[in-house]
Amino acid sequence: MRGVVRDKEATKAKLLDAAMDEFAQYGIAGARVDRIAAKAGCNKAMIYAYFGSKEGLFDELLKIQIDRMIQQVPITPDDLPGYAGRLFDSYRDQPQLLRLAAYHRLENGFEAVPAAEAEAYRHKVEAIGRAQMEGKISAEFNANDLLDMVVHMSILAFTTPNATRALVERSVSRLIAE
Amino acid sequence: MRGVVRDKEATKAKLLDAAMDEFAQYGIAGARVDRIAAKAGCNKAMIYAYFGSKEGLFDELLKIQIDRMIQQVPITPDDLPGYAGRLFDSYRDQPQLLRLAAYHRLENGFEAVPAAEAEAYRHKVEAIGRAQMEGKISAEFNANDLLDMVVHMSILAFTTPNATRALVERSVSRLIAE
DNA sequence: TTCTGACAACTAACCGGTTGGTTGACAAGG
DNA sequence: CCTTGTCAACCAACCGGTTAGTTGTCAGAA
């Protein structure tokens, strides 16, 4: 075929791409739909045709990005320091995702956790619980708290600009030491 | 006419109070100056007379709140778990401050650290360094990284709604264990 | 192969409401 | 009277969202 001029999926992809930059930089309230449309080289009305609203665009974008991150960094319950380290690297390589998530939590409340994220979290807690029962890692902390802290350490990439992967890994090692 | 007391400082205080609620809830971009004025029972023009702009109001508010927190929770280098625990409690009792700081960092970049905060941080790093040289705490992590992590653990109050002070204290204990 | 009509993709212009910020008048206190 | 804190009214720019109309694509009739 010749160069496709009209392609719904391509247009949605361009909009999502532009939305990533805009929302990560300005947040939901600060983002401007006109800027997103301009950056995507599309008409503003396409946002409303394909995503319903500014918030609809944000929600779909966040869901896609979270799914990607979940698939990209699988948990390794018997190597939590390594898991934290890989999460840290992913976050540092794609700082926009954490900014997106931070804005989402700030503006929508901390209970508004996307379903995909909540479910993935549950599976990870179970995996850690099994590893504890098998005696592979310390049982001083319960599985839920442990995952909270491992994830929390990995977002040093977001909080502390000069943090390193090695620092995160050593910290988690100490947390789970017998 | 009405029994209005004319008091510049009282008006500024009411505006700062209302601004705290508004900025913490909606962020800088999402905050509405009309709502702030209404909540303070003042006229919108007062904001511009006393603080210059919406951003000016936010900056002064953040500075005041940070100074208060710094004074309220002094560091105890030879009891870092306790320090993290007290920070955690403060943050949980006044969730608005962390929301304010989060919005500020997201919208202004992570290098834009208020001067008062940066200086207080330096003093704390030095205090930890001394405690390490005196052998009071582990020297596995350098003082700067250690403070980063202690502060980072304390903001579990912000990241993880069901976290407890005991969890934070135990975590920091493990981080600094010999 | 060429034409065509129906539909989906797209666009420019527009709309009502909102926003940060300003101003001129006025009243309280000295 | 003069200074100053206060306020209602106002403004220009902006913003999210809509709509009437245009254009590209392609199945299928000729």
Side-chain angles (χ1 to χ4, degrees), chain A residues 79-148:
Chain A
D79 178 25
L80 289 180
Y83 175 60
R86 284 189 297 279
L87 260 188
F88 175 89
D89 277 350
S90 280
Y91 288 147
R92 204 184 35 191
D93 291 347
Q94 307 165 44
Q96 291 180 319
L97 174 54
L98 272 186
R99 292 182 60 87
L100 230 57
Y103 272 122
H104 179 252
R105 290 198 140 193
L106 279 170
E107 300 193 19
N108 294 288
F110 281 66
E111 309 78 27
V113 180
E117 195 180 0
E119 201 195 353
Y121 216 78
R122 243 180 292 119
H123 287 149
K124 284 168 184 166
V125 170
E126 288 171 15
I128 291 178
R130 277 195 299 274
Q132 286 180 319
M133 279 195 285
E134 293 168 9
K136 288 179 178 171
I137 56 178
S138 164
E140 172 169 343
F141 298 104
N142 75 53
N144 205 334
D145 287 348
L146 200 48
L147 181 57
D148 280 347

Side-chain angles (χ1 to χ4, degrees), chain B residues 5-17:
Chain B
V5 181
R6 288 171 168 254
D7 185 336
K8 184 174 175 177
E9 293 309 315
T11 299
K12 288 180 73 171
K14 284 195 295 180
L15 283 172
L16 285 167
D17 222 49

Side-chain angles (χ1 to χ4, degrees), chain B residues 79 104 136:
Chain B
D79 177 25
H104 179 254
K136 288 179 178 171

